[in-house]
Amino acid sequence: MPASGRPGGAPDAERETARGGRRVAQGAVGRVEAPEPGEEPHRGQSPRHGGEGVGRPREGGSPGGGGRSRPRGGDPGGTVPGPSPAPHDGRSAASGAHHDETSRAAEAGEATGAQVPPPASPPQGPPPVPPARSAHPGESGEVAAARQAGGDRLRFIGAATRRIARGIDLDEIVLGLCRATVPTFADAILVYLRDPLPVGDERPTGPVVLRLRRTDRIPEEPDTNGARLPVLPAQPDLGPAMGGSAAELAEVRPGGPLAEVLRGVRPLFGEAQAARTALPELLGPDPCLPGGHRVILAPLRGRRRVIGAAVFLRRPDRPAFEPDDLLVAAQLATHTALGVDKAVLYGREAYIADALQRTMLPDSLPQPTGVRLASRYLPAAETARVGGDWYDAIPLPGSRVALVVGDVMGHSMTSAAIMGQLRTTAQTLAGLDLPPQEVLHHLDEQAQRLGTDRMATCMYAVYDPVAHRITIANAGHPPPVMLHRGGRAEVLRVPSGAPIGVGGVDFEAVELDAPAGATLVLYTDGLVESRIRDVWTGIEQLRERLAETARLTGPNPPPLEPLCDEVLDMLGPGDRDDDIALLAARFDGIAPSDVAYWYLDPKAQTAGQARRLARRALARWGLDELTDQLELLVSEVVTNAVRYAERPITLRLLRTDVLRCEVGDDVPQLPRLRQARPSDEGGRGLYLVNRMARRWGATRLSMGKVVWFELSMPPGAPRG
């Protein structure tokens, strides 16, 4: 008896059936792609063989024979292309199976004590071919091979779609499609995408243009060891066997063959009539493509519209595509198109978030009198460049400046939007010259109006360069650090307060000395707090880093910009858990000898008195060249203040890099520049100020207003 148990040899029809099963399996998808690093082998794959050749025979035989064991699929020919086992004819297989059967019978006889008859001689003549065995009883070899090929296709689609889905940006997704299909499914691939790609539900205007985004192919020549070279990078040259060069740009004519194929969505063989007329429009005139079912044109359709096309090609020496391969191409095209849509939407969202964040933060810091500023902002990660941290520096009347640092909870676009509203509110409140504790109180009310869960911390400080004092109010923010001129770093004792948004909490302000040469460092908790350290440990490390940096420069305070970089260098690889906003202010102050200050009664003679006082101050400072110009402008501004004021007005001159004049009164209405008619008796004073002054402005205070202007210092004039 043969090993299969059938009498006699297998007929020719059954041999053809077995060979047909091998052809079906070989023409399927090709070898199954090996799993990626860290990925479990697919079902039906042998980990020992790297995932190639699903269902191929195992090496070695049964204990009693030297042949190979049966394939797991039950069909000797039901294997996918790949490293094939050593060839063997039907005679060796039959004799090996016969030997296995005899050995098992002998073992059974030894166990029972019965005599085992000698093995029958194998039949003479051509050995029979055993029929294909299947896990399903009664199933023919051809059906079993088709079932095996279908399973191979499903496993390939699963591996390929997982590789495509791993991509985040556009290039990674397209690269995933190319690497998943070449050489497993096709010998070459061309991926065309719309240029520009539509975003979401946007309706692009103008003609539809497809740009060749990437091509991959198997190299024409093997390397010295006879193995295939790695996949080449993107290039339009496909080699002579793949049709030569491909067009880089293709304009889709409305109503043309390519437009009709893209509208149809389903993949087509290259020899189909619709594809035969559309491919020259996509690849260029007279493309030399392989004949037969060796080209598949697959449209890439996203969620709303077609966004491109993919062309799969096989060489003439490889089995042609089968009809079921159109379903494989459809799955690959669908997953790729949806991934491209996702990448485009993600890119647009990241762009909007980045633009929003940059718009919320100041483009540049002001340069107020008596203080120098530097800042840094670092997002939590490059993939999330939006957060709720912010900083600001706002010039105030009297050469003062407000320093603000805040942190809204969260790292989303909502946090950035809330941060923008709070920052705008803080700027508006600072313009009213409110005390720091009042600013935080109004910010708390604004946060409650935005929502019950809108929480933020904030530090608000006002520096007066004339008085060399700083007033600070805190709303749940980490305390600032003061670096003194001698190198001593001090954590300022500031009441912590409750975060903004809690409601019903009073804020307290403290006034501290701000000596010349000292540096105030304001920051958010992302600088000092992380998974590996608590906030107070981070504050102590910040204080030590500032003191260490100051010791390197000796008696002179360290430059601001390098100081900020040194502070950020204290962060380790695992310390970036949150956004970081950093604001450093170097207090230079204004010396008392560079300040002239007077109180003047609101009388008709006050304008003349103001001119005399200004003239004496300029003479003392050696700025006689500015006397005429200053007297004219002081007379105009003081006259306007005397006309409406009921309490004494103030006149102050400041000598720094410019000459600044400030006139304050108790009238809250701000003056407006207007064009006076010929018949008007007034309205020309501000016109003169606007024409002659370097800069001018008016700021409303809680008890009135201040009108100020600046004059440029003459060349060679002494500076304060």
Side-chain angles (χ1 to χ4, degrees):
M1 290 285 289
S4 62
R6 291 176 53 91
D12 294 340
E14 292 187 7
R15 292 195 188 96
E16 290 301 319
T17 299
R19 295 194 189 99
R22 284 193 293 271
R23 285 196 298 271
V24 171
Q26 290 176 355
V29 178
R31 64 174 178 84
V32 177
E33 183 188 33
E36 294 293 322
E39 182 178 330
E40 295 183 0
H42 309 304
R43 291 182 179 177
Q45 291 182 355
S46 174
R48 295 181 302 167
H49 297 91
E52 292 187 313
V54 176
R56 73 181 184 186
R58 294 188 181 95
E59 297 293 337
S62 61
R68 300 176 183 271
S69 62
R70 291 191 306 270
R72 282 173 292 173
D75 181 8
T79 61
V80 294
S84 302
H88 60 279
D89 55 13
R91 180 176 303 169
S92 61
S95 61
H98 180 76
H99 188 72
D100 291 346
E101 186 175 350
T102 304
S103 300
R104 287 194 294 270
E107 292 172 0
E110 291 176 1
T112 60
Q115 292 185 356
V116 180
S121 300
Q124 301 297 324
V129 179
R133 296 185 181 183
S134 172
H136 302 269
E139 191 176 71
S140 66
E142 186 174 356
V143 175
R147 181 184 297 275
Q148 176 72 23
D152 294 340
R153 285 192 177 91
L154 291 178
R155 285 188 289 272
F156 165 73
I157 292 175
T161 53
R162 284 194 299 270
R163 188 164 192 170
I164 295 170
R166 279 197 295 266
I168 296 179
D169 59 17
L170 189 61
D171 292 332
E172 289 180 351
I173 293 171
V174 176
L175 178 61
L177 171 65
C178 295
R179 295 295 170 84
T181 56
V182 178
T184 308
F185 180 70
D187 295 325
I189 183 175
L190 299 92
V191 182
Y192 284 84
L193 296 179
R194 294 183 66 163
D195 187 23
L197 279 167
V199 181
D201 57 354
E202 292 182 357
R203 291 191 173 274
T205 60
V208 177
V209 177
L210 300 182
R211 178 181 292 275
L212 183 61
R213 188 77 185 192
R214 185 177 181 89
T215 67
D216 274 347
R217 66 178 177 89
I218 300 177
E220 296 291 340
E221 298 296 335
D223 63 6
T224 55
N225 297 325
R228 292 291 187 183
L229 292 175
V231 178
L232 293 181
Q235 56 182 1
D237 183 14
L238 298 179
M242 290 289 110
S245 299
E248 186 173 356
L249 285 176
E251 181 176 344
V252 181
R253 294 182 287 104
L258 182 57
E260 294 298 325
V261 171
L262 297 180
R263 188 179 295 112
V265 177
R266 294 184 178 180
L268 300 173
F269 284 124
E271 63 182 9
Q273 178 61 32
R276 207 163 45 237
T277 56
L279 284 172
E281 189 175 347
L282 181 65
L283 305 178
D286 301 327
C288 181
L289 298 175
H293 287 182
R294 304 186 184 279
V295 179
I296 293 180
L297 174 58
L300 303 179
R301 181 173 181 83
R303 292 174 177 84
R304 296 182 179 272
R305 59 181 62 85
V306 174
I307 60 174
V311 181
F312 304 94
L313 303 100
R314 281 189 182 176
R315 289 175 173 170
D317 58 349
R318 184 174 178 180
F321 290 112
E322 297 182 358
D324 288 344
D325 291 331
L326 293 178
L327 302 178
V328 176
Q331 288 290 324
L332 297 176
T334 299
H335 283 80
T336 302
L338 294 178
V340 169
D341 263 357
K342 174 191 67 176
V344 172
L345 289 173
Y346 175 79
R348 174 62 63 88
E349 182 179 352
Y351 170 78
I352 293 175
D354 185 68
L356 177 63
Q357 179 73 36
R358 294 182 183 277
T359 303
M360 295 301 181
L361 296 176
D363 293 334
S364 60
L365 293 174
Q367 298 298 326
T369 303
V371 62
R372 286 173 287 172
L373 303 172
S375 63
R376 294 290 187 275
Y377 174 79
L378 293 179
E382 289 298 324
T383 55
R385 297 186 58 85
V386 62
D389 293 14
W390 90 92
Y391 62 89
D392 214 340
I394 309 168
L396 300 178
S399 299
R400 296 171 300 153
V401 59
L403 308 174
V404 191
V405 170
D407 183 5
V408 178
M409 290 193 308
H411 305 92
S412 62
M413 295 185 64
T414 302
S415 302
I418 296 172
M419 177 268 286
Q421 297 181 67
L422 294 180
R423 178 174 178 248
T424 302
T425 303
Q427 289 178 331
T428 304
L429 296 172
L432 300 177
D433 198 31
L434 298 178
Q437 65 272 21
E438 290 295 326
V439 172
L440 295 183
H441 175 73
H442 289 293
L443 285 176
D444 180 64
E445 292 180 340
Q446 176 66 13
Q448 294 180 67
R449 285 191 290 268
L450 295 176
T452 56
D453 57 344
R454 309 309 189 193
M455 306 284 291
T457 63
C458 184
M459 179 78 66
Y460 188 93
V462 176
Y463 171 64
D464 188 344
V466 177
H468 296 271
R469 304 282 288 178
I470 185 170
T471 306
I472 306 177
N474 188 12
H477 206 75
V481 179
M482 179 82 77
L483 178 62
H484 294 273
R485 191 181 185 91
R488 181 173 63 92
E490 174 189 8
V491 180
L492 299 183
R493 297 179 178 273
V494 179
S496 59
I500 291 173
V502 174
V505 180
D506 291 333
F507 299 98
E508 182 181 354
V510 295
E511 188 174 350
L512 304 172
D513 289 332
T519 304
L520 182 69
V521 179
L522 304 175
Y523 53 91
T524 56
D525 58 356
L527 180 65
V528 295
E529 186 179 18
S530 67
R531 293 188 300 267
I532 61 177
R533 61 182 177 184
D534 60 82
V535 61
W536 289 107
T537 302
I539 292 174
E540 181 62 22
Q541 292 179 359
L542 172 62
R543 188 193 65 79
E544 294 176 354
R545 174 58 64 96
L546 290 173
E548 180 182 354
T549 304
R551 284 194 294 268
L552 297 177
T553 58
N556 298 321
L560 277 183
E561 296 293 340
L563 179 64
C564 292
D565 295 334
E566 287 291 332
V567 168
L568 294 181
D569 285 344
M570 65 179 281
L571 298 172
D575 292 351
R576 292 289 304 281
D577 298 335
D578 198 359
D579 301 350
I580 298 175
L582 176 66
L583 180 63
R586 173 70 45 76
F587 300 141
D588 294 333
I590 300 177
S593 58
D594 294 325
V595 181
Y597 193 87
W598 302 279
Y599 284 94
L600 304 175
D601 294 328
K603 301 184 298 184
Q605 299 82 4
T606 302
Q609 181 184 3
R611 288 194 296 270
R612 290 192 298 272
L613 294 174
R615 187 185 313 116
R616 294 173 186 172
L618 292 182
R620 186 172 65 252
W621 290 334
L623 300 176
D624 297 310
E625 298 180 24
L626 300 177
T627 300
D628 295 339
Q629 190 176 2
L630 180 63
E631 284 187 1
L632 176 60
L633 299 185
V634 165
S635 178
E636 293 294 338
V637 176
V638 170
T639 299
N640 187 72
V642 169
R643 178 177 299 178
Y644 304 103
E646 297 181 358
R647 298 178 181 179
I649 65 173
T650 60
L651 172 64
R652 184 165 74 168
L653 298 179
L654 302 173
R655 182 185 64 160
T656 57
D657 54 342
V658 296
L659 180 64
R660 183 183 176 97
C661 176
E662 300 174 350
V663 177
D665 58 59
D666 60 346
V667 181
Q669 286 79 17
L670 300 180
R672 300 298 182 203
L673 181 63
R674 61 185 179 87
Q675 187 71 33
R677 296 189 299 268
S679 58
D680 292 341
E681 296 183 359
R684 297 176 177 83
L686 286 182
Y687 179 77
L688 293 175
V689 174
N690 183 63
R691 295 284 294 180
M692 299 179 64
R694 179 175 176 265
R695 288 194 314 155
W696 77 280
T699 305
R700 183 179 285 110
L701 305 177
S702 57
M703 298 298 294
K705 69 174 182 295
V706 169
V707 180
W708 57 269
F709 62 86
E710 294 176 353
L711 298 177
S712 300
M713 302 289 282
R719 302 292 179 91

